[in-house]
Amino acid sequence: MFCEKAMEMIRELHRMSDGQLPAFNEDGLRQVLQEMEALYEQNQADVNEAKSFGRSDLIPSIKLRHCCLLRNQRCITAYLYDRLLRIRALRWEYGSVLPANVRFHMSAEEVQWFGQYKKSLASFMRSLGEGEGLDITQDIKPPKSLYIQVRCLKDHGEFEIEDGTVILLKKNSQHFLPRWKCEQLIRQGVLEHVVS
Amino acid sequence: MSDALSDDGSDINQDDSQDVMTPAELIAKLEEAWLNEKFSPELLENKSEVVECVMEQLTHMESNLQRVKKGDAKASFHRMEIDRIRFVLSSYLRSRLQKIEKFFPHVLEREKSRVEGQPSLLSPEEFAFAKEYYTNTETYLKAVALKRMPLNLQTVDLLKAVPEPCLDSFVFLRVKEKQENILVEPETDDQREYIVDLEEGSQHLMRYRTVAPLVSNGAVQLI
């Protein structure tokens, strides 16, 4: 059956729940493109024949192949676009540097797209408020309290807070820090919010 | 405009410009824009003036806080207030950016077909972002798949491929100015269209399409 591979790629993405990024299916993409090429060539041949010999009986199969071509195209673009959306979501979750295991699943072009997206977003945030800039990837949740209790999950080194105090983020140490300062570190998995 | 704002959220002063706003009014404006933007299915007109003023206000407050000596109880209240305002502001800008990304071909199309003099939906920064996003995504799709497809299938009409905002979704709203003779479209075939009056202060659940003009002129508030 035509278009099977393309559908399989869509399903593969669909199966990965909550925005996880599976490895880029280069092989599947190639197979679909091959199938499209074959369909296209057959169609070309049939169109020529239908034209020169007036064989109108070929038209239904030409139409069918054309529909399959369109469907393949649609599935592939959907596959690629959906992956882009997932990658975009990662930028908001992890910040501008992606963890290695995620990057491992991205194709070279996706990395390029991500780089460009990062740049666009950064220049957008910089240009806010007449060049003062505002990091809108922070403050994701409404603030409940000013300071929160956090536990360090790994050694992170020294960390300076607002008033110039420098604290040492050592593994398993607990601190009482301004919430908005550690939001990013929490998302990166360096700190953990201790809810008592 | 710049100096029309006092620095710590208390009541306010003077300026020579016409549109003097107290910080409280400014924040109310921001909250209004934020809620509308959060609940409307489509992108609303940009409020970059409000955004800029709030940013300025925040900077003022921050710099005032620097002067306060350590351990002052007042400082932490102000700090909290700053955090709250910054959250609302960020959340507002975020939801706009999300919509721009979600509907980028349509947003750009509207911008293109905009008549000279009509206010733009996008702020200049957002416009730049949307354009870059469009080019970036288009280039990517071309490079990875489209240019390897048969000749007649090498383009995708993004305008058709990316879904449009669903204006028929329902929204909750509160009426700020009394409206009369609002035409409500029928929902099912055996219903007929009818007319409602919206009393000030009343709350309703309606299709966004019906009230879209009222949202943009500020007569109703989405909640």
Side-chain angles (χ1 to χ4, degrees):
Chain A
M1 266 302 277
F2 301 130
C3 305
E4 206 120 276
K5 191 70 208 169
M7 268 311 284
E8 199 181 297
M9 286 169 74
I10 300 281
R11 266 190 231 113
E12 175 190 307
L13 265 192
H14 195 70
R15 266 200 302 271
M16 293 304 247
S17 56
D18 44 275
Q20 275 181 28
L21 193 70
F24 188 82
N25 196 339
E26 184 66 56
D27 194 46
L29 176 65
R30 216 192 45 245
Q31 283 181 35
V32 175
L33 288 172
Q34 267 168 6
E35 183 186 299
M36 289 179 79
E37 208 180 299
L39 283 167
Y40 182 71
E41 271 164 17
Q42 271 177 355
N43 254 6
Q44 288 295 79
D46 277 10
V47 165
N48 284 339
E49 193 152 328
K51 264 192 196 149
S52 40
F53 302 105
R55 288 190 52 189
S56 54
D57 57 319
L58 286 176
I59 290 176
S61 48
I62 294 174
K63 277 196 176 145
L64 174 75
R65 287 196 206 103
H66 189 67
C67 285
C68 293
L69 279 169
L70 286 176
R71 187 171 171 78
N72 268 333
Q73 185 205 37
R74 192 168 161 179
C75 288
I76 289 296
T77 34
Y79 176 80
L80 296 174
Y81 186 61
D82 194 66
R83 286 181 60 92
L84 290 189
L85 295 186
R86 287 171 196 230
I87 295 171
R88 172 212 168 266
L90 292 171
R91 161 67 186 87
W92 289 78
E93 202 176 323
Y94 291 105
S96 54
V97 183
L98 292 182
N101 59 339
V102 174
R103 241 174 315 155
F104 184 67
H105 282 166
M106 284 161 63
S107 73
E109 288 87 357
E110 279 174 334
V111 174
Q112 219 175 345
W113 182 89
F114 179 73
Q116 184 61 44
Y117 177 73
K118 222 161 59 175
K119 240 197 266 167
S120 306
L121 184 64
S123 56
F124 172 75
M125 295 198 294
R126 251 201 323 276
S127 63
L128 288 169
E130 288 173 345
E132 275 176 64
L134 173 71
D135 186 357
I136 58 170
T137 64
Q138 298 275 336
D139 300 289
I140 298 283
K141 288 196 195 114
K144 284 248 162 15
S145 58
L146 211 46
Y147 288 81
I148 53 172
Q149 189 82 30
V150 288
R151 182 182 301 128
C152 247
L153 297 179
K154 44 183 146 180
D155 288 324
H156 187 69
E158 288 184 342
F159 183 62
E160 187 176 334
I161 54 172
E162 192 71 336
D163 55 5
T165 331
V166 177
I167 48 162
L168 185 64
L169 295 180
K170 248 182 92 184
K171 195 173 172 178
N172 292 330
S173 61
Q174 283 208 21
H175 306 272
F176 197 53
L177 295 177
R179 183 197 49 78
W180 61 284
K181 267 278 179 187
C182 25
E183 206 171 283
Q184 178 105 41
L185 288 175
I186 292 175
R187 265 182 283 143
Q188 284 171 4
V190 176
L191 297 177
E192 176 189 47
H193 186 181
V194 184
V195 192
S196 46
Chain B
M1 192 75 217
S2 59
D3 293 314
L5 302 166
S6 86
D7 28 37
D8 56 10
S10 65
D11 263 354
I12 209 359
N13 51 87
Q14 37 36 85
D15 200 60
D16 32 276
S17 66
Q18 286 298 305
D19 44 354
V20 183
M21 240 193 293
T22 65
E25 274 166 11
L26 176 67
I27 299 305
K29 267 228 151 71
L30 173 69
E31 271 175 18
E32 191 183 299
W34 172 53
L35 290 174
N36 278 343
E37 196 66 69
K38 240 179 137 61
F39 296 122
S40 93
E42 66 167 350
L43 189 71
L44 302 174
E45 203 183 296
N46 81 82
K47 298 264 190 287
S48 45
E49 229 174 88
V50 176
V51 171
E52 257 162 51
C53 291
V54 174
M55 289 281 289
E56 242 165 63
Q57 177 80 348
L58 281 175
T59 328
H60 263 285
M61 292 172 76
E62 294 264 10
S63 63
N64 275 9
L65 266 186
Q66 296 291 321
R67 294 204 302 268
V68 177
K69 59 180 187 296
K70 232 177 161 182
D72 192 339
K74 261 197 302 192
S76 50
F77 291 127
H78 283 303
R79 178 90 256 165
M80 191 69 195
E81 197 54 27
I82 291 181
D83 278 8
R84 286 192 174 132
I85 297 172
R86 210 185 33 230
F87 163 73
V88 173
L89 182 66
S90 302
S91 171
Y92 170 67
L93 292 167
R94 257 200 308 272
S95 56
R96 286 187 63 82
L97 214 56
Q98 260 159 22
K99 283 187 208 171
I100 294 175
E101 285 173 0
K102 201 163 165 198
F103 306 121
F104 63 101
H106 307 285
V107 169
L108 285 172
E109 187 61 26
R110 271 201 56 186
E111 186 68 23
K112 233 191 281 168
S113 58
R114 179 170 63 97
V115 196
E116 193 71 37
Q118 220 179 353
S120 162
L121 284 187
L122 301 166
S123 71
E125 299 87 34
E126 286 166 343
F127 182 54
F129 179 84
K131 264 198 312 199
E132 279 174 32
Y133 191 77
Y134 189 97
T135 335
N136 190 17
T137 309
E138 205 185 25
T139 324
Y140 168 77
L141 289 177
K142 274 222 174 79
V144 177
L146 292 178
K147 72 160 202 265
R148 288 153 70 187
M149 286 185 184
L151 282 175
N152 59 345
L153 293 167
Q154 292 198 342
T155 49
V156 165
D157 187 357
L158 285 174
L159 214 50
K160 285 200 189 116
V162 176
E164 271 182 271
C166 171
L167 299 183
D168 282 322
S169 53
F170 282 85
V171 289
F172 282 100
L173 57 106
R174 185 186 302 118
V175 184
K176 284 163 66 187
E177 291 160 29
K178 185 175 156 72
Q179 300 293 320
E180 280 169 349
N181 297 335
I182 302 295
L183 188 70
V184 180
E185 302 272 324
E187 271 158 46
T188 51
D189 287 339
D190 47 278
Q191 244 178 7
R192 268 189 293 155
E193 57 184 25
Y194 58 98
I195 286 171
V196 286
D197 292 344
L198 304 180
E199 294 294 332
E200 192 183 327
S202 61
Q203 298 185 6
H204 303 267
L205 174 62
M206 290 173 105
R207 275 186 203 280
Y208 175 74
R209 195 189 291 278
T210 319
V211 291
L214 303 176
V215 173
S216 59
N217 69 20
V220 303
Q221 163 83 59
L222 299 186
I223 49 173

